[in-house]
């Protein structure tokens, strides 16, 4: 029986970022408090559902690139969220059947669902750890069961870095993760960009279990310094190796930036 954390008393009554994202994606793993706050966000930013979908589509394209062209067979998906369609191990194993995936999150409900729905074979594990403490992820028993840090690995930080405040120092976190990654490894990020309506929406997340901190393109680019970005670099998500040539203007203008960076043999500018 997997280890189960006691749930906090406000578990269902306080809005929760993973369950709100699930609601935006059309999922059913959310409660009234999540839906009420998600609706407030939608009033400020009516395109949020599109943005959530674009984020998932980016995650799938990045995973296909990593398992295919980049030849990566081990993945650590941090801030993995509630299981949805086309989870990382399903996408990676489509191309590389031997691919191993560890899902990491610090949300008790995400962990329960991930253990039930994702960690269903020997190649997939779930780890309860906090991104703010990278060493707790790198050295986690479930991670070490599947991941050999001396070989290239892909670490995914998709739609989670904007839950890290400047006080918790996302640059330090990325530096510590990359220091553990073998040369030839890859880091994937997506991040909400700073725009007035998103700053107002982010303010609503003060009442949620994790914050949202929109950052400028320059601030997001600075998080990636020292990594070799694969083409096309840091771009709006629909423009990262698109499969469709036709896109709606609201998609092209989506305030979400993403990139895939390669860890070079000697990394400079680490945190
Ligand atoms: C918006 S969801 C993103 C899910 C998935 N990565 C995606 O892009 O589709 C953000 C996830 O990050 C998790 N998260 C937030 N802060 C975290 C932290 N400090 N450590 C680990 N997970 C965190 C939340 O619990 C949530 O499941």
């Amino acid at each position: 029986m997997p280890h189960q954390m006691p749930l906090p008393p406000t578990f269902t009554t306080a809005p929760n970022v993973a369950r709100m994202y699930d609601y935006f994606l059309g999922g059913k793993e959310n409660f009234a408090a999540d839906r009420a706050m998600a609706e407030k966000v939608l009033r400020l930013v009516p395109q949020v559902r599109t943005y959530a979908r674009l984020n998932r589509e980016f995650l799938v394209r990045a995973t296909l690139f990593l398992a295919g062209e980049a030849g990566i067979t081990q993945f650590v998906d941090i801030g993995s969220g509630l299981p949805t369609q086309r989870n990382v191990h399903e996408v990676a194993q489509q191309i590389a059947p031997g691919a191993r995936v560890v899902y990491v999150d610090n949300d008790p409900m995400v962990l329960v669902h991930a253990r039930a729905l994702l960690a269903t074979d020997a190649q997939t594990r779930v780890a309860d750890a906090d991104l703010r403490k990278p060493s707790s992820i790198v050295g986690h028993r479930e991670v070490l069961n599947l991941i050999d840090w001396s070989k290239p690995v892909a670490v995914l930080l998709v739609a989670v870095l904007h839950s890290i405040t400047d006080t918790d120092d996302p640059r330090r976190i990325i530096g510590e993760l990359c220091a553990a990654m073998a040369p030839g490894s890859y880091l994937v990020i997506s991040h909400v960009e700073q725009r007035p309506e998103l700053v107002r929406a982010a303010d609503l997340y003060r009442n949620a279990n994790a914050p949202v901190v929109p950052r400028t393109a320059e601030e997001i680019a600075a998080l990636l310094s020292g990594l070799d970005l694969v083409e096309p670099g840091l771009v709006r998500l629909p423009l990262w190796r698109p499969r469709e040539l036709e896109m709606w203007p609201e998609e092209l203008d989506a305030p979400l930036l993403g990139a895939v960076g390669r860890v070079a043999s000697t990394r400079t500018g680490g945190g």
Side-chain angles (χ1 to χ4, degrees):
M1 183 69 190
H3 163 75
Q4 305 267 329
M5 281 179 49
L7 299 176
T10 54
F11 183 62
T12 58
T13 53
N16 171 293
V17 293
R19 300 191 308 246
M20 288 171 65
Y21 182 65
D22 173 74
Y23 180 69
F24 293 139
L25 285 172
K28 298 202 170 10
E29 305 303 338
N30 45 73
F31 301 125
D34 310 312
R35 294 189 285 274
M37 199 168 114
E39 288 296 336
K40 282 189 192 165
V41 172
L42 279 164
R43 279 198 283 282
L44 287 174
V45 190
Q47 310 87 340
V48 164
R49 286 199 173 93
T50 302
Y51 299 163
R53 173 177 58 76
L54 292 174
N55 183 64
R56 270 323 282 189
E57 289 171 1
F58 165 73
L59 177 144
V60 168
R61 291 197 307 282
T63 304
L64 288 171
F65 160 78
L66 292 163
E69 201 176 321
I72 294 289
T73 56
Q74 33 178 20
F75 295 78
V76 183
D77 181 9
I78 306 176
S80 49
L82 285 158
T84 177
Q85 288 173 1
R86 308 204 71 196
N87 301 293
V88 170
H89 73 287
E90 293 156 348
V91 176
Q93 288 168 5
Q94 214 179 297
I95 295 192
R100 304 182 302 281
V101 179
V102 183
Y103 293 100
V104 180
D105 211 289
N106 68 346
D107 181 298
M109 180 158 156
V110 168
L111 295 166
V112 168
H113 282 251
R115 285 185 181 119
L117 298 174
L118 303 180
T120 50
D121 62 39
Q123 289 168 223
T124 313
R125 291 273 192 284
V126 174
D128 171 6
D130 195 308
L131 176 57
R132 289 167 292 187
K133 269 197 176 175
S135 60
S136 72
I137 297 173
V138 173
H140 196 287
R141 187 174 43 86
E142 294 289 13
V143 174
L144 294 175
N145 265 333
L146 282 194
I147 304 297
D148 176 354
W149 291 101
S150 71
K151 305 256 167 58
V153 55
V155 170
L156 281 73
L157 297 176
V158 180
V160 63
L161 278 174
H162 49 236
S163 285
I164 302 294
T165 62
D166 289 346
T167 312
D168 285 318
D169 195 354
R171 180 78 196 117
R172 164 194 65 86
I173 290 170
I174 290 179
E176 287 181 33
L177 286 171
C178 288
M181 292 155 71
S185 294
Y186 289 85
L187 182 82
V188 182
I189 76 156
S190 73
H191 199 299
V192 170
E193 216 182 330
Q194 208 176 82
R195 286 205 197 148
E197 72 278 19
L198 287 161
V199 172
R200 284 196 294 278
D203 203 40
L204 293 171
Y205 281 77
R206 274 183 298 130
N207 301 321
N209 69 322
V212 169
V213 186
R215 292 190 166 91
T216 64
E218 291 73 25
E219 287 168 335
I220 299 168
L223 297 177
L224 297 165
S225 71
L227 289 162
D228 297 333
L229 300 192
V230 304
E231 286 295 326
L234 178 67
V235 291
R236 296 248 154 78
L237 297 188
L239 295 175
W240 197 89
R241 301 190 177 214
R243 304 194 128 197
E244 313 267 336
L245 293 178
E246 281 185 31
M247 281 173 249
W248 297 98
E250 80 169 17
E251 294 186 352
L252 289 172
D253 191 44
L256 284 164
L257 292 175
V260 177
R262 191 168 191 273
V263 178
S265 46
T266 43
R267 184 161 187 268
T268 51

